[in-house]
Amino acid sequence: MPLLRGLTLVLLLLSVWGPSLPLKPLRTVVLLDQSPSDREAVWKIAPQLERPHARYIAFATFADTVSTATARRLDLGQGTRLTPALRQAEALHPDRILLVSDGLFQDQPSPPSVPLYGLYQPPSPHLSLSLVPPALPSKGERVEVRALVESTATTPAKLVLDGPSGRVVRTLSLLPGRSSSGYRFTLEDTALVTARLESPLGTQEARLELSPAGRTQVWVLGDAALARLLTAQGFAVETPAHLSLPIRAQVVALGLGARDLSAGELDALQSFLQGGGSLLWTATPKGLFFGGWERTNLAEAIPLKPVEEPGGVGMVLVLDVSGSMADADKLGLAVEGALELIRSARAQDYVGVVTFSSSARWLFKPRPMTEQGRKEAESLLMAATAGGGTRMGEAYAEAVQALANTPTQSKQILVLTDGLLSDNPTPILQAAQKATPAIQTSAVALGADADRSFLRALANGGGGAFWDVPSPQDLPRFFLEEAQRAFRRKTLEGRFPLAVRPHPVTRGLDPPPLSVLLPAQSQAWAQPLLTSGQNVVLAVGESGRGRVAALATDLSRSWKDWPQAPALLGQLTRWLAQTPAQPRVEAVREAGGVEVRLQGQFERPLLRLGGLERPFAPTGPLQYSLQLPLEASGVATVLEGEQPRLRFSLPAPAEWRLEDGQANLERLSEATGGRLLASPAELATLPSRGPWSLRPILLALALVCFLLERRQEYLRNRRLNLTTA
């Protein structure tokens, strides 16, 4: 009995130690890569992969069990997805997994729970061909489709591209790596581009159907010729009589003057530009330098400025400040109008103001309207007060004498009064006739009480014009129009050959000479695209988050017979519409996944893919980015809140890729406790049997010994009881 008890204890101790014998056959699952990039190499070594007690799974895009290593499957798809194969392998409860592959997986598999041994088989030499479309192409835009070629070997090849521009054939000498070729055409409607790549490695084909993005919205104000040209290019053109708010366009073309817009509309245009919209100024009779834009908050955004001709204008305003001018704020409105004269004058122009009531008084004598001169003149003009009689003779004589000594070619007097003169008008009329033609006199009758017959005679005798302004509220607008006439920039007419600078706006175009030209030069920050001698005809630039352009010619008279005029204006408008604030998205497949790059005016953009929504991360002004896993594919949507903004397709993962598949296989193997095998011969070095635990046998023997020991004790106690009885 002590012997059995001791034996039981020994057996229990041995079971705790857990001895084993190398008797258990190891269950091995062999994964055979039968994707297009590696099937030939795997089939070649398949006979060397036969292992005792092994199970086999062939995989490509999908996975399925096969009976032997030499089985060939061509129905498992054209990709390489390892996750389904690992899932099936682990369902067989293997002791280890042998993976035979080129390591070019289109997913990111998780390491299995059992050791994995990799056997690398290089992919077959291959060329891949794909067509990359331009981002958000517009109708009528000159676009470029890129034919992207990836080669895993050095080989000659022939690339044939077909599309709207006809057939293009290129001979290539490809090296391992990536190269691309462009195919350009004008996108008028849905277009089909096909590519064919022929080489000793086989023939690859690709096709791309490209449609224009949503039509660009353009508002054209005050330029009917431009509206016709852009309509011919397929833009969604509106010609509103007024600037309605909010501005629902990508581009606003301005052929009218700033005085035709309210202060609120000018502020709206500035906000539109700051928010990513674009503005185009054209040189209509009311636009660009003729519209008073230099006195608005948009002045610094205009990419052209006038070339000031030598020889300025001398002007003296003879202003009535008698007591009647205090009624209905006549003098205040006259001063407001006179300020427009000062602000419209150029540096070479001389402006003076002499007032008359009971006597004459100079507010300031004629002085050049430099920046300093303008500031001083504005300050002196604001000090004018009304009171006294209406004696004009002395003031008019002072104006004639001052202009006689002014170094300008053109000299003008502008007389404004609202009543009857209290002095003799005859000397004034005689002085006006004597000064003509060196000095021109014009006259303004303000209100119903003005002496119209005298003022009309003064204008006729002085070689000027007579204007009847019935209401004081009309004075500011009158003075602004008079300033435009007096200090008007001259439009040149003739034949002006053009020089073209390379830019997407001028690509493929050779404009003929202009017949109408407004002398201009570009701002320092702007880019001149069309020039004629020293004059700049077209300049573009960026302002705020938008783009700007200015055209120094009148389209109603220039390029009327040039067939490519609509194309030039179309390319200009498309360039203007493609501001950083306009939404565009692209997806780039990289080694670690898919990067989605978003650009535009967004607050909290989201990406919806496969029913899931992911937020973008800001990477810069108006720029966002999002990283997707390598297996991401399909159609994705960019959301702003719940509102869909953009839809696009993610690039499909390539079967052949320029990455180190052997390194991928090694990392996966080492993550499981396995390793990368150098050749099929190393399979023989792997153990074929695993440890068979003796613990269950030892525990069973210990139990038997314990039961025998208990039985012997029972029998012994029974005999003792019988003997005692």
Side-chain angles (χ1 to χ4, degrees), residues 660-696:
D660 191 345
Q662 186 172 2
N664 294 341
L665 206 57
E666 185 174 13
R667 281 193 297 269
L668 182 61
S669 300
E670 293 178 350
T672 65
R675 61 186 175 87
L676 185 66
L677 305 179
S679 67
E682 282 198 48
L683 293 173
T685 65
L686 298 179
S688 59
R689 294 183 179 274
W692 181 31
S693 177
L694 297 178
R695 179 176 296 172

Side-chain angles (χ1 to χ4, degrees), residues 189-340:
D189 207 339
T190 300
L192 177 65
V193 178
T194 62
R196 181 182 177 87
L197 185 66
E198 301 173 355
S199 76
L201 299 179
T203 299
Q204 297 286 322
E205 295 183 347
R207 54 182 284 136
L208 174 67
E209 191 173 275
L210 190 64
S211 298
R215 297 172 70 197
T216 300
Q217 300 287 324
V218 184
W219 286 4
V220 180
L221 284 72
D223 195 335
L226 176 64
R228 288 193 300 271
L229 292 169
L230 294 182
T231 301
Q233 279 285 294
F235 293 97
V237 177
E238 295 184 33
T239 56
H242 302 283
L243 188 64
S244 59
L245 304 178
I247 300 175
R248 302 189 182 280
Q250 284 84 52
V251 180
V252 176
L254 299 165
L256 42 65
R259 62 180 177 270
D260 297 314
L261 301 173
S262 67
E265 289 172 325
L266 292 173
D267 289 341
L269 284 175
Q270 186 180 38
S271 298
F272 172 70
L273 185 61
Q274 294 296 324
S278 293
L279 299 178
L280 166 62
W281 283 268
T282 57
T284 65
K286 290 186 176 182
L288 199 55
F289 307 147
F290 304 139
W293 289 102
E294 68 275 8
R295 296 186 302 281
T296 69
N297 51 9
L298 290 168
E300 298 301 321
I302 303 175
L304 287 180
K305 56 184 179 181
V307 173
E308 305 297 358
E309 304 89 349
V313 173
M315 173 178 283
V316 172
L317 172 63
V318 180
L319 179 61
D320 185 352
V321 294
S322 62
S324 60
M325 287 292 288
D327 299 337
D329 196 27
K330 293 178 185 176
L331 181 58
L333 292 169
V335 168
E336 183 180 341
L339 289 172
E340 293 294 343

Side-chain angles (χ1 to χ4, degrees), residues 40 47 55 97 139 204 210 242 249 275 285 307 311 336 338 396 406 483 529 548 559 623 637 640 703:
E40 294 291 341
R55 301 287 296 275
I97 295 174
K139 180 179 174 63
Q204 297 286 322
L210 190 64
H242 302 283
V307 173
E336 183 180 341
Y396 185 81
T406 300
L529 302 184
V548 291
W559 291 332
Q623 295 182 0
T637 304
E640 178 70 76
L703 179 61

Side-chain angles (χ1 to χ4, degrees), residues 150-155 174-178 658:
E150 290 187 351
S151 175
T152 62
T154 301
T155 182
L174 298 175
L175 299 173
R178 178 179 297 176
L658 301 175

Side-chain angles (χ1 to χ4, degrees), residues 408-474:
T408 58
Q409 297 177 353
S410 173
K411 301 177 182 181
Q412 304 176 25
I413 295 175
L414 180 63
V415 175
L416 184 147
T417 182
D418 70 337
L420 300 175
L421 301 186
S422 59
D423 55 345
N424 185 1
T426 302
I428 301 174
L429 295 175
Q430 293 173 346
Q433 293 175 350
K434 184 178 180 180
T436 305
I439 299 175
Q440 182 186 77
T441 301
S442 297
V444 181
L446 175 61
D449 298 331
D451 189 346
R452 285 171 173 73
S453 60
F454 163 70
L455 293 173
R456 186 176 284 107
L458 178 63
N460 290 336
F466 167 74
W467 289 284
D468 190 347
V469 179
S471 171
Q473 282 71 28
D474 294 330

Side-chain angles (χ1 to χ4, degrees), residues 589-625:
R589 187 169 291 278
E590 299 173 338
V594 179
E595 182 182 8
V596 182
R597 302 165 186 166
L598 178 66
Q599 176 179 291
Q601 192 84 33
F602 293 93
E603 290 187 8
R604 294 182 180 86
L606 301 172
L607 182 76
R608 178 182 292 164
L609 177 65
L612 298 177
E613 294 181 0
R614 300 173 175 86
F616 282 89
T619 58
L622 304 177
Q623 295 182 0
Y624 306 85
S625 178

